[in-house]
Amino acid sequence: MKFRKPKLGLGVRLALISVLIILAILTIDGVSRVFVPEPDVILMEREWLADTIGDTQALLEGAQPEQRTKLLAGLPSRNILAFSLDDAPNVRWRHGASDSDTQVAALRDALRQRLRPDTEFIVAIKDFGGNFDYALTSIAVVTTKLPVRATSSTGTDNDTLLVTPNLDIHLQLADGTWLTVSQSSDDSVGLRLARNLAAPVFSILFILLISYWGAHRLLRPLQQLSVAAEKMGRERNVTLIPEMKIPEYKTIADSFNDMQLRLKRFVDDRTQMLAAISHDLGSPLTRLRLLAEELDDPRQRDQVLSDVAEMQMMIQSSLLFARDDAQQEGYVTVDIASLVISLCDNASDAGQVAIYRGADHASLRCRPTAIRRAVNNLIDNGCKYGGKVTVTLHDEADALVIAIADIGPGIAPGDIETAFKPFQRLESSRNRATGGTGLGLTIARDIVHGHGGSLTLRNNEGAPGLTATIRLPKPGP
């Protein structure tokens, strides 16, 4: 029994991508904790801190100024506290109103009891946000007694902790020099700063990569659907979408494939019916022609023969149109400029006036015979009804534009769309006396539309004549 791999729906895939993103963020955060050490937590008893600072003050005030630095380096508490001497206190922040006001006041009271009575001192702390993991420096924790049981990062069971990432105590010695006491710190501040910046950056990059990969995987079937729809509209060929793995997309693809097949079958049936009707009309018209030749009245005979000839021409055009549509010529890359130049040369050789202006070379993937027929129909119409045509080719970034301008009487604006209808010939100079079946513009526009382009007619501004413009889009990359 062959095991079939289950197909995951769109909702499940989106959920898996979300889980993958969460796991990636947790992994990056965990890896950063492994390689970057967490900050030290320095636990100090309040009385010990006050005694140590008081003893240090007495030691420094009893020594010569040049000996003070050496004395500070030899203090037994130098691994826990950092000491520095300055001419003025460098107060980076001052304690503000917070939940630790009681602990700060208690620390000030303890210092007053141990320092020289007239000592001026400043207790400066930075409020702590409660997250040890992202602190850059060591964490100072001052408590009333040891041992103590902490229930959170900012307090204990009786709220006797003062927790801060920056504890600075500035006091003035007798000679005016200021002593600054703070908790010691290790050499990993730069690493922690880099960790705090790199972790979110890598998380964002990883999220972007996963999101791009997920979007690409989810949108690729829609791109296939878009390409198939565009190809069907351009080439009128059925482009079946392969079976998709996502059930929701598979339903859409199957429906689209069925629609393509139904549309193709409908168009083929209509085309074959048109060809059959046109072919079957040939025999009755031949009999009418034979009967018309036996008429005694020359005027009636000529009129009937003219109508029969016109009907035969219309039938031949319909058969040609149906045959070309059924054959579906293949797409190849051709030089449109050379093709248009050759059509202008053929018109000139036939005694017509057709002038070409434009690029010498402009390649496009198309059905060359069909494009030749469409452009030739427009050149022939322009020469027939306008006397002279000027063909201009513009090679734009996304399309080739062919403009065929004549100097004839033009078309009334309200009749422009009517001119594209099958077997429609307008009055004035564009009437039955000039010949034609009324299928030239219809066939030309059908061919251009089959290439995904457009064919428009407009009267020339400020001058007599009509301009037919073909726009053929270039295939995407």
Side-chain angles (χ1 to χ4, degrees):
M1 180 178 179
K2 187 177 180 181
F3 176 75
R4 295 188 61 183
K5 184 178 179 181
K7 296 181 179 180
L8 301 179
L10 182 60
V12 176
R13 291 173 183 260
L14 292 175
L16 290 177
I17 292 176
S18 300
V19 171
L20 185 60
I21 291 175
I22 295 174
L23 292 177
I25 295 175
L26 295 177
T27 301
I28 293 174
D29 184 68
V31 171
S32 67
R33 294 173 184 270
V34 172
F35 290 99
V36 180
E38 295 182 353
D40 296 332
V41 178
I42 301 176
L43 190 62
M44 297 175 286
E45 191 176 13
R46 183 188 304 153
E47 297 301 326
W48 175 88
L49 178 61
D51 289 344
T52 300
I53 296 176
D55 293 342
T56 303
Q57 180 193 32
L59 177 65
L60 295 178
E61 289 182 343
Q64 297 295 325
E66 60 271 11
Q67 297 177 340
R68 290 174 177 174
T69 303
K70 185 177 180 180
L71 292 174
L72 290 176
L75 292 176
S77 59
R78 65 184 182 277
N79 292 330
I80 296 178
L81 298 175
F83 301 89
S84 63
L85 295 170
D86 299 287
D87 294 332
N90 181 20
V91 181
R92 293 176 292 175
W93 42 74
R94 289 186 180 273
H95 172 66
S98 67
D99 294 338
S100 59
D101 281 342
T102 303
Q103 288 76 31
V104 174
L107 178 59
R108 288 196 182 102
D109 293 338
L111 288 171
R112 289 190 186 98
Q113 295 175 7
R114 292 293 294 119
L115 296 178
R116 184 172 31 85
D118 58 345
T119 300
E120 181 181 354
F121 68 91
I122 302 172
V123 177
I125 73 168
K126 183 178 181 180
D127 287 338
F128 182 54
N131 192 341
F132 286 142
D133 297 334
Y134 296 100
L136 299 180
T137 61
S138 57
I139 307 299
V141 179
V142 181
T143 181
T144 57
K145 59 182 178 179
L146 293 175
V148 64
R149 178 182 178 89
T151 57
S152 68
S153 60
T154 58
T156 64
D157 52 357
N158 56 0
D159 293 330
T160 58
L161 287 185
L162 171 61
V163 182
T164 176
N166 298 97
L167 171 63
D168 290 341
I169 300 175
H170 308 275
L171 58 100
Q172 190 176 34
L173 302 179
D175 62 352
T177 304
W178 284 84
L179 172 66
T180 300
V181 182
S182 59
Q183 81 270 25
S184 64
S185 183
D186 54 23
D187 298 329
S188 300
V189 175
L191 285 176
R192 295 191 190 101
L193 179 60
R195 187 272 312 273
N196 292 348
L197 295 176
V201 170
F202 280 110
S203 297
I204 292 174
L205 291 177
F206 199 80
I207 290 173
L208 291 177
L209 289 176
I210 295 179
S211 299
Y212 175 80
W213 173 80
H216 178 72
R217 295 276 297 179
L218 295 178
L219 294 180
R220 184 170 58 182
L222 297 181
Q223 293 175 347
Q224 293 177 345
L225 180 64
S226 175
V227 170
E230 193 274 339
K231 189 174 182 180
M232 181 182 180
R234 179 190 294 271
E235 301 180 7
R236 299 184 183 179
N237 288 328
V238 175
T239 304
L240 296 179
I241 301 176
E243 184 176 357
M244 296 183 178
K245 298 180 180 180
I246 302 177
E248 292 85 352
Y249 289 170
K250 182 179 184 301
T251 301
I252 298 175
D254 292 343
S255 300
F256 184 80
N257 288 338
D258 292 340
M259 181 192 69
Q260 289 189 87
L261 295 174
R262 288 195 299 269
L263 288 176
K264 180 64 176 176
R265 190 181 305 114
F266 173 77
V267 173
D268 290 344
D269 291 344
R270 294 291 295 269
T271 302
Q272 292 175 4
M273 182 178 66
L274 174 62
I277 293 175
S278 300
H279 180 270
D280 292 343
L281 287 176
S283 298
L285 287 177
T286 300
R287 290 195 296 269
L288 286 176
R289 184 179 184 87
L290 295 176
L291 292 174
E293 290 178 352
E294 297 179 0
L295 293 176
D296 296 332
D297 189 345
R299 184 176 179 181
Q300 291 182 350
R301 182 173 63 250
D302 293 341
Q303 181 64 43
V304 173
L305 290 176
S306 176
D307 291 341
V308 171
E310 183 177 351
M311 293 179 66
Q312 287 179 333
M313 185 180 300
M314 294 171 62
I315 291 173
Q316 291 175 358
S317 297
S318 300
L319 285 173
L320 182 62
F321 171 73
R323 185 180 69 247
D324 290 347
D325 188 78
Q327 287 178 351
Q328 284 297 311
E329 176 190 6
Y331 277 72
V332 295
T333 301
V334 298
D335 189 345
I336 296 296
S338 298
L339 185 149
V340 175
I341 291 173
S342 66
L343 291 177
C344 292
D345 291 341
N346 293 340
S348 298
D349 293 341
Q352 299 172 330
V353 182
I355 302 173
Y356 174 78
R357 293 175 182 172
D360 294 332
H361 299 283
S363 298
L364 182 71
R365 182 174 175 80
C366 64
R367 291 162 31 191
T369 302
I371 291 296
R372 173 182 288 273
R373 183 179 182 189
V375 177
N376 185 68
N377 283 352
L378 297 175
I379 292 176
D380 184 66
N381 282 349
C383 292
K384 185 181 299 182
Y385 303 124
K388 171 185 175 182
V389 297
T390 300
V391 183
T392 306
L393 174 63
H394 298 283
D395 189 356
E396 298 181 355
D398 58 344
L400 292 182
V401 180
I402 306 172
I404 300 98
D406 61 40
I407 56 174
I411 298 178
D415 294 334
I416 288 180
E417 189 59 32
T418 304
F420 287 109
K421 294 181 179 180
F423 308 111
Q424 292 291 328
R425 283 161 296 184
L426 306 181
E427 296 298 327
S428 186
S429 63
R430 303 176 190 268
N431 53 30
R432 297 178 185 270
T434 59
T437 62
L439 281 176
L441 287 177
T442 303
I443 294 174
R445 187 166 71 166
D446 184 79
I447 292 172
V448 173
H449 284 177
H451 287 76
S454 62
L455 171 59
T456 59
L457 301 178
R458 64 174 180 85
N459 292 305
N460 299 332
E461 297 181 2
L466 184 75
T467 297
T469 303
I470 296 177
R471 185 177 182 86
L472 297 173
K474 295 179 180 179

